[in-house]
Amino acid sequence: MTRLTMAQALVRFLGSQYVERDGVEQRFFAGCWGIFGHGNVAGIGEALFESPDLLPYHMARNEQSMVHSAVAYARHKDRLQTFVCTSSIGPGATNMLTGAALATVNRLPVLLLPGDVFASRIPDPVLQQLEVPSRGDVSVNDAFQSVSRYWDRILRPEQLIPAALAAMRVLVSPTETGAVTLALPQDVQAESYDYPDAFLAKRVWHVERRPPDPTALARATEAIRAAKRPLIVAGGGVIYACASDALRRFVRQTGIPVAETQAGKGSLPYDHPSALGAIGATGTSAANRIAKDADLVIGIGTRWSDFTTASKSAFENPDVRFVNVNVAELDAFKQGGIAVTADARVTLEALSTVSYRVEGAYRDAYTRLAKEWDAEVTRLYALGHAPLPAQSEVIGAVNEFSGATDVVVCAAGSMPGDLHKLWRTRDRKQYHVEYGYSCMGYEIAGALGVKLADPAREVYSLVGDGSYLMLSEAIVTSLQEHAKLVIVLVDNHGFASIGGLSRSLGTDGFGTQFRESRASSGVPTTAGGLDSERGPAPYLPVDLAANAESLGAHVIRARGMPAFRDALAAAKKVDRTVVIHVEVDRYVAVPSYESWWDVPVAETSEAAGVRDARKSYDKAKQKQRRYL
Ligand SMILES: Cc1ncc(C[n+]2csc(CCOP(=O)(O)OP(=O)(O)O)c2C)c(N)n1
Ligand SMILES: [Mg+2]
């Protein structure tokens, strides 16, 4: 027995947790991110101060951002390591909600420890306490329940023991993992208890590779043998299971082509003979054309999001069937598929014994499509658009300059779709686009997490001006952590992605440009500040490069592509975070290739453009399927 406060016991416990997979053992928690306030400065704060080696402390500047960094770290580490995040009560806690949802959607582990109101309730209402008239047991931390895979509130010091063990079970489980929240009432954090030594001792969690059920495997094998036009859709599960080599062997033997989801991009190198690149709403012409006629689609480690299935319109063959290899039953049973609830690598190894090979004509067809797609990428990398370059040229320049193991990080705006199509991935951990939650503000904080996970790699954060304005303070934290990032700030004066979407839906880019508002002058405005009589209102006089400079970054202002390429070379030589500011033409978008995304258009409208858009929408809807 050791007499410790609840907070001290928790820190000791967390510092003693290890994971093991494939014989490799490592500490599960790399450290603890936090921002102190009342609710964590005394309890958890004291415990971290007392034991700095157990859980090294990293100060953050925004709680949402610190959760993004933790989650990005976990993604880069294939979910085998993460961070703890501690916050004060109230706003500090609720700032973590978005990060928690992002973690859970993307199935990435992070342990959140929001401070909570007094369990004793004596001083209520304390500063920042939200009182619910009909409930004495509710605080803002209850909001974490819907975005966490496990949630508990530690009301007595001894309750920590089962709660901490349950939290770990969920965090290390490839099936269950996501955000785990233990809400910590501030008085209980400081209470002492005699904790059993076994609770505080080193504990190793073994991450298993679940083999497929033999009968499920037989059903899958039979479906593969019967297929004429099979297609693999590789998702994040291929990356997390380190199944790229097994995938390569399987496709070498069978000749089945491979398309990739956002999380699965990098499963094969872009120039592999079976690689068709991105699939779905942001897919390549090659993958989407093969998807259209596929008679068997083998999803490996994918959750079948609407972007992957082009809102269930991508697979048009009336006889199409699915096989889903996934550790999570939730995903294994989707699309009416043959469910193989198992680890991706083990299953691919087992499938490799199948005697099957696609016909030569099919192979020739997809090889030709892949070649055509590669030429399209080359074209988009070198558009030579003037006076401002196109975004695809900026992406091309970063791709061509970066090394094979450097990492690109992105999350929201028009870049994730362009990157999904255009990025030529050479390494399985090179492509880090968060597109489960597609959260503006993840780009810089996430890049920081990746850099901390793998300091030897150069990390390129591609961030839009909208995302930058939402959350960029992690630049300061990157200086504190000596974690150099190369941030490519792509400025197009607003929300270009949503502007384009809005134009395609007949609403003229309404509310998407960073221009002066004329609403207050009484003059009606149309598209995002455009004014039919006076022309467009001026762009707001915002200097984001100067903003980045003021945060301590080394800033390079690049005008045009030659200057941008020089900036990439110069950035390589700088040893602290660099921001390269580049302006692009917001109206030059990468097209979509034979795909669709379901965004419902108003059935009735005064605007002729909306009525036209609705007609196209109704037509597109006809291709939508249920895959039962
Ligand atoms: C937190 C959050 N709020 C809103 C959105 C919806 N949204 C998606 S992209 C986007 C605009 C992004 O602007 P910017 O970063 O400048 O990228 P661009 O579209 O110009 O490429 C918005 C508002 C989102 N994804 N995340
Ligand atoms: Mg923008």
Side-chain angles (χ1 to χ4, degrees):
M1 299 280 196
T2 311
R3 190 149 190 92
L4 298 167
T5 67
M6 183 268 263
Q8 289 160 357
L10 177 55
V11 168
R12 281 212 204 176
F13 172 85
L14 296 174
S16 309
Q17 303 308 302
Y18 289 72
V19 294
E20 175 277 322
R21 188 178 73 173
D22 303 332
V24 181
E25 187 181 294
Q26 55 192 319
R27 248 185 173 184
F28 188 59
F29 295 107
C32 179
W33 285 103
I35 293 183
F36 290 129
H38 87 107
N40 67 340
V41 67
I44 286 286
E46 189 277 339
L48 291 166
F49 171 73
E50 192 184 84
S51 312
D53 298 334
L54 279 177
L55 222 46
Y57 183 70
H58 302 264
M59 180 184 155
R61 279 143 195 90
N62 176 299
E63 291 88 354
Q64 176 181 324
S65 193
M66 75 189 182
V67 182
H68 291 336
S69 297
V71 167
Y73 184 98
R75 172 166 167 172
H76 195 80
K77 293 279 187 178
D78 293 326
R79 314 197 277 209
L80 298 171
Q81 242 191 331
T82 187
F83 277 88
V84 180
C85 294
T86 167
S87 81
S88 56
I89 84 159
T94 50
N95 266 358
M96 296 200 292
L97 272 171
T98 299
L102 183 149
T104 297
V105 168
N106 286 286
R107 320 255 172 96
L108 292 165
V110 64
L111 177 62
L112 308 179
L113 303 176
D116 213 328
V117 298
F118 284 68
S120 75
R121 311 273 154 73
I122 294 176
D124 285 10
V126 298
L127 176 70
Q128 303 172 327
Q129 178 171 350
L130 180 146
E131 293 174 279
V132 178
S134 60
R135 290 279 298 269
D137 64 342
V138 169
S139 82
V140 293
N141 288 336
D142 288 80
F144 283 93
Q145 290 182 29
S146 61
V147 292
S148 300
R149 299 305 303 263
Y150 185 79
W151 184 97
D152 203 350
R153 176 179 281 128
I154 313 300
L155 293 163
R156 299 168 60 98
E158 66 270 38
Q159 186 201 336
L160 176 67
I161 298 169
L165 292 169
M168 281 304 301
R169 178 187 65 75
V170 172
L171 284 167
V172 302
S173 157
T175 318
E176 300 264 305
T177 199
V180 166
T181 303
L182 297 180
L184 305 178
Q186 48 190 306
D187 49 348
V188 184
Q189 287 180 41
E191 282 172 27
S192 297
Y193 181 74
D194 291 321
Y195 285 93
D197 295 332
F199 174 65
L200 303 169
K202 175 178 173 180
R203 190 178 296 261
V204 184
W205 300 81
H206 301 281
V207 180
E208 63 175 31
R209 290 190 177 275
R210 187 163 301 182
D213 172 73
T215 60
L217 193 69
R219 282 190 290 275
T221 309
E222 196 187 317
I224 292 170
R225 283 222 189 90
K228 290 264 173 269
R229 302 180 64 86
L231 169 68
I232 290 170
V233 174
V238 174
I239 308 275
Y240 299 135
C242 300
S244 286
D245 288 345
L247 177 65
R248 217 174 278 161
R249 279 195 295 276
F250 179 61
V251 299
R252 192 188 308 137
Q253 188 187 327
T254 59
I256 302 176
V258 178
E260 294 170 329
T261 72
Q262 283 275 13
K265 194 166 157 85
S267 295
L268 289 181
Y270 81 99
D271 53 357
H272 186 281
S274 279
L276 304 181
I279 188 165
T282 52
T284 69
S285 53
N288 284 345
R289 257 184 236 163
I290 291 297
K292 198 173 278 185
D293 298 324
D295 58 356
L296 181 73
V297 184
I298 307 164
I300 308 176
T302 172
R303 51 192 284 270
W304 292 118
S305 83
D306 65 345
F307 264 78
T308 300
T309 65
S311 301
K312 294 217 165 73
S313 71
F315 308 104
E316 293 183 33
N317 186 330
D319 300 319
V320 65
R321 293 171 72 195
F322 293 84
V323 167
N324 300 315
V325 179
N326 209 298
V327 280
E329 273 193 356
L330 173 68
D331 298 316
F333 281 86
K334 286 176 181 171
Q335 314 277 104
I338 295 169
V340 183
T341 312
D343 175 80
R345 197 178 86 184
V346 178
T347 308
L348 279 164
E349 282 162 1
L351 284 174
S352 289
T353 58
V354 65
S355 56
Y356 172 82
R357 188 142 185 92
V358 296
E359 285 171 9
Y362 181 52
R363 202 183 162 114
D364 293 347
Y366 75 68
T367 304
R368 197 187 60 245
L369 288 170
K371 268 214 184 87
E372 280 169 24
W373 172 252
D374 201 53
E376 175 68 350
V377 175
T378 303
R379 183 185 76 81
L380 289 160
Y381 274 14
L383 275 185
H385 192 75
L388 292 175
Q391 186 164 283
S392 65
E393 298 174 72
V394 168
I395 288 172
V398 178
N399 185 275
E400 283 167 353
F401 181 80
S402 58
T405 60
D406 293 345
V407 185
V408 63
V409 180
C410 193
S414 55
M415 275 188 287
D418 292 3
L419 286 164
H420 195 208
K421 287 174 224 175
L422 304 181
W423 188 263
R424 288 170 165 160
T425 321
R426 293 149 281 168
D427 175 80
R428 71 176 198 96
K429 297 306 292 187
Q430 190 185 36
Y431 185 84
H432 186 124
V433 175
E434 185 283 296
Y435 216 62
Y437 210 45
S438 185
C439 183
M440 288 172 75
Y442 178 87
E443 295 86 350
I444 298 174
L448 172 58
V450 174
K451 185 68 181 180
L452 292 176
D454 204 345
R457 298 183 188 231
E458 194 86 83
V459 179
Y460 292 91
S461 168
L462 266 52
V463 60
D465 50 328
S467 264
Y468 180 91
L469 277 169
M470 214 175 259
L471 212 55
S472 45
E473 58 12 275
I475 289 174
V476 179
T477 310
S478 78
L479 303 179
Q480 165 193 296
E481 299 294 328
H482 306 287
K484 178 204 169 182
L485 311 175
V486 180
I487 299 167
V488 177
L489 169 44
V490 179
D491 199 340
N492 51 27
H493 304 285
F495 305 154
S497 51
I498 309 297
L501 183 62
S502 161
R503 284 195 302 281
S504 76
L505 303 176
T507 46
D508 210 15
F510 171 64
T512 60
Q513 298 196 9
F514 293 172
R515 296 181 188 271
E516 270 177 35
S517 169
R518 284 183 177 164
S520 56
S521 66
V523 178
T525 58
T526 58
L530 292 186
D531 170 333
S532 45
E533 290 189 8
R534 289 190 290 165
Y539 283 125
L540 295 166
V542 180
D543 186 344
L544 295 179
N547 176 277
E549 228 152 31
S550 77
L551 297 181
H554 177 97
V555 173
I556 307 174
R557 294 166 170 83
R559 301 272 162 267
M561 288 313 296
F564 182 70
R565 285 194 195 90
D566 290 348
L568 287 170
K572 181 96 183 154
K573 300 196 186 95
V574 180
D575 64 0
R576 70 171 201 281
T577 290
V578 182
V579 173
I580 304 174
H581 179 270
V582 61
E583 208 179 322
V584 298
D585 189 324
R586 65 178 287 140
Y587 294 108
V588 191
V590 177
S592 68
Y593 296 85
E594 312 196 19
S595 76
W596 175 67
W597 186 36
D598 190 345
V599 180
V601 181
E603 269 192 288
T604 50
S605 174
E606 305 261 301
V610 175
R611 291 197 298 273
D612 288 346
R614 178 69 200 196
K615 272 189 209 131
S616 316
Y617 177 72
D618 286 337
K619 193 159 165 250
K621 280 284 278 185
Q622 287 168 9
K623 278 212 286 182
Q624 208 164 27
R625 299 271 304 279
R626 289 188 190 272
Y627 307 128
L628 301 173

